[in-house]
Amino acid sequence: MKNYKVRMGAIARSAASVLVLGTVLAACGPEGTTEQGAFVEINKDPYPSSYTPLPSETTLITGANILDGKGGMIEGGSILLENGKVKAIGASVEAPAGARVIEANGRWVTPGIIDVHSHLGVYPSPGTGSHSDGNEIGEPVTAGVWAEHSVWPQDPGFGRAAAGGVTALQILPGSANLIGGRSVTLKNVPGRVAQDMKFPGAPYGLKMACGENPKRVYGRGNNPVSKRPSTRMGNVHGYRQAWSDAEAYKREWDKYERDYKAGKDVLPPKRNHRMETLVGVLDGEIKVHMHCYRADDMGTMLDLMKEFNYQIASFQHGVEAYKIADRLAENNVCGALWADWYGFKMEAYDGIRENIPFMHKAGACAIVHSDDAGGIQRLNQEAAKALADGNKVGLNISKADAWQWLSLNPAKSLGIDNVTGTLEVGKNADVVLWSADPFSVYAKADITFVDGAVVHDRSDASKRRVSDFELGMPGEGDVK
């Protein structure tokens, strides 16, 4: 009897459904389509860049040794910066009327340095616990968080980086999680809010992490099983599940769009901010930057990349990149590396000082990065160390080629090489005038330009950035 009542109830609901369907059909248009609500489209840029170039003046630097950032060098050459762009470059360039002329007298000019691994703003320097906003610990997958929402523009480290010739930098979340969240690329200029510094048109990045960090953070203590991994195989399970979930989410939205275009009155799926970031990767709109040290971990991640059909832009740190440099080159994956920083934990144990030059000689995209508020101020010296170590073992790499590690290759990995990273006519005037050969330990950035505007001038205190945070707190020998 009970089953009979259920069946009768079902019939009654079916009849009601038919009635409702009939009502809906009555609302159909002349071609039989259902009246639809508004189509729901996700805004992919809800926090747009508000960057405005600083005022600049037409500037000709002449008599300089110029590294163009793409492997070329001009001795005693000139470069003209106008309206924020490189206007001309060559052995001899005439100064337009009214231009500022800087006689380099044998000093050196390069493209601005681009650091692809920085935590300035999310882990400011000097740091305090109150400003520690780089790791959203609690879940192994936090793809829904965005580093730009933690960036503190008053971090004095930005000004220090400008004094080291850094004109752009990628701010990444930390490496506690399997998938830590979105990165943001900034121009190294003062800003009241992070959006004032956002590099216009730069794609977002996604920070992921291999190996010891995620399993250390989540494999200890009283974390429930659902919040682990505690092993490398647990890490890979976590990535695979996240990408599978993203595929399913993408299918839901694709189906919604198909049904809507077919004239159906359909509701969109519930938004999931984690999944939106991952789908952005699957769609090729967001670039993956993955913290990995060991060659075997990187090899596994290349297979993971192929399984889910996305592209890794770079392995960050890559202490063992030299072991698989050929595979990184074949798969178009950059290695963002240190010159000689390794051995501080087991997965970073098997490093060599020739890592960057070996990557370069294998035809892979080699990058010098900092991951450090102090190191970002001396990245030219880090490149110099790697160059010297490579040439000691007979690789014979030129300084002109090596500068690509600091400008063109980082720009490629971030997807901004069409506008910066080299000194070419029409590209952004992101330029550094060095006091000497920038591969010398004695070289200092005399003037750093971003879009042709001076953001640091060693000889002019008014052109050296001072953060509000520093006011009233002069360091030793410093005056503010």
Side-chain angles (χ1 to χ4, degrees):
M1 183 61 73
K2 183 177 180 180
N3 289 341
Y4 175 76
K5 287 184 176 177
V6 170
R7 180 174 173 75
M8 289 304 292
I11 291 172
R13 284 197 298 275
S14 297
S17 298
V18 169
L19 181 61
V20 170
L21 180 61
T23 304
V24 170
L25 288 174
C28 290
E31 297 181 358
T33 56
T34 303
E35 186 175 337
Q36 296 176 298
F39 181 70
V40 175
E41 188 168 19
I42 295 173
N43 178 7
K44 296 182 179 181
D45 190 22
Y47 305 91
S49 171
S50 52
Y51 169 74
T52 301
L54 297 169
S56 62
E57 59 182 327
T58 300
T59 303
L60 177 70
I61 305 173
T62 187
N65 297 312
I66 301 174
L67 301 178
D68 64 13
K70 55 179 183 175
M73 178 174 176
I74 305 170
E75 295 184 19
S78 301
I79 182 167
L80 177 63
L81 317 180
E82 189 173 79
N83 296 324
K85 305 291 183 184
V86 175
K87 179 71 173 181
I89 180 171
S92 179
V93 177
E94 292 293 324
R100 176 192 183 191
V101 178
I102 300 174
E103 298 287 350
N105 295 321
R107 288 181 286 173
W108 292 58
V109 167
T110 69
I113 294 172
I114 301 170
D115 188 5
V116 299
H117 195 122
S118 177
H119 299 299
L120 292 182
V122 299
Y123 286 119
S125 53
T128 69
S130 300
H131 290 155
S132 176
D133 290 314
N135 271 313
E136 184 58 33
I137 297 173
E139 299 282 347
V141 176
T142 55
V145 305
W146 299 22
E148 68 191 79
H149 298 148
S150 282
V151 168
W152 186 50
Q154 292 185 39
D155 180 355
F158 289 118
R160 306 289 189 269
V166 173
T167 54
L169 62 170
Q170 176 177 225
I171 309 301
L172 292 152
S175 54
N177 298 347
L178 297 175
I179 300 177
R182 291 198 195 195
S183 66
V184 63
T185 299
L186 303 179
K187 284 180 174 281
N188 194 9
V189 296
R192 292 181 297 173
V193 295
Q195 286 75 18
D196 292 345
M197 304 170 73
K198 282 181 77 171
F199 200 116
Y204 279 110
L206 175 65
K207 175 69 176 296
M208 297 178 63
C210 291
E212 292 179 17
N213 282 19
K215 73 192 191 84
R216 182 185 70 239
V217 171
Y218 293 101
R220 292 178 178 174
N222 298 318
N223 286 327
V225 173
S226 62
K227 297 293 178 65
R228 295 172 185 175
S230 57
T231 62
R232 279 184 157 77
M233 59 186 174
N235 285 354
V236 175
H237 163 65
Y239 309 131
R240 297 183 77 213
Q241 189 60 60
W243 290 120
S244 297
D245 292 345
E247 288 179 329
Y249 185 73
K250 179 175 168 56
R251 284 193 294 270
E252 287 182 33
W253 277 89
D254 287 348
K255 182 178 185 303
Y256 163 71
E257 184 173 351
R258 282 196 309 273
D259 288 347
Y260 190 91
K261 287 181 176 177
K264 298 179 181 177
D265 184 24
V266 288
L267 293 175
K270 180 182 177 182
R271 289 186 65 180
N272 181 316
H273 296 287
R274 293 184 185 184
M275 294 298 108
E276 284 178 14
T277 293
L278 298 182
V279 169
V281 173
L282 296 178
D283 287 342
E285 298 169 351
I286 297 175
K287 293 178 171 293
V288 172
H289 300 279
M290 191 149 197
H291 157 124
C292 274
Y293 290 88
R294 284 186 359 195
D296 59 318
D297 279 342
M298 288 185 263
T300 302
M301 293 306 107
L302 292 178
D303 287 342
L304 180 78
M305 172 182 93
K306 293 171 184 173
E307 180 183 5
F308 291 97
N309 193 30
Y310 66 92
Q311 179 66 42
I312 297 174
S314 71
F315 286 119
Q316 303 278 322
H317 312 329
V319 162
E320 295 185 11
Y322 65 95
K323 296 181 180 178
I324 59 165
D326 56 336
R327 293 191 61 186
L328 297 181
E330 290 167 6
N331 288 280
N332 196 30
V333 178
C334 296
L337 314 170
W338 293 296
D340 55 3
W341 193 9
Y342 57 85
F344 45 86
K345 57 181 175 177
M346 283 305 300
E347 65 182 357
Y349 191 75
D350 205 10
I352 60 172
R353 297 173 63 96
E354 298 82 6
N355 196 18
I356 291 171
F358 279 171
M359 279 277 290
H360 177 87
K361 275 299 180 181
C365 169
I367 296 170
V368 181
H369 75 337
S370 77
D371 189 20
D372 183 75
I376 196 172
Q377 301 171 34
R378 300 173 183 82
L379 279 169
N380 62 311
Q381 295 179 18
E382 296 302 302
K385 288 190 289 186
L387 177 63
D389 288 323
N391 287 340
K392 281 179 186 173
V393 296
L395 296 184
N396 194 29
I397 300 171
S398 70
K399 293 176 181 176
D401 276 338
W403 198 264
Q404 296 175 85
W405 307 340
L406 293 168
S407 60
L408 177 57
N409 290 350
K412 285 180 179 176
S413 79
L414 298 177
I416 55 175
D417 55 305
N418 60 327
V419 295
T420 192
T422 58
L423 300 181
E424 297 179 85
V425 173
K427 282 198 170 182
N428 295 348
D430 300 332
V431 178
V432 184
L433 172 63
W434 298 90
S435 64
D437 177 350
F439 290 93
S440 164
V441 70
Y442 298 108
K444 296 181 179 178
D446 277 345
I447 306 178
T448 303
F449 300 87
V450 174
D451 288 326
V454 175
V455 296
H456 168 80
D457 186 335
R458 196 161 65 96
S459 66
D460 184 350
S462 69
K463 299 291 178 60
R464 295 200 293 269
R465 197 180 314 176
V466 179
S467 159
D468 286 354
F469 181 71
E470 298 174 286
L471 295 176
M473 296 189 290
E476 183 177 356
D478 202 358
V479 177
K480 300 185 177 72

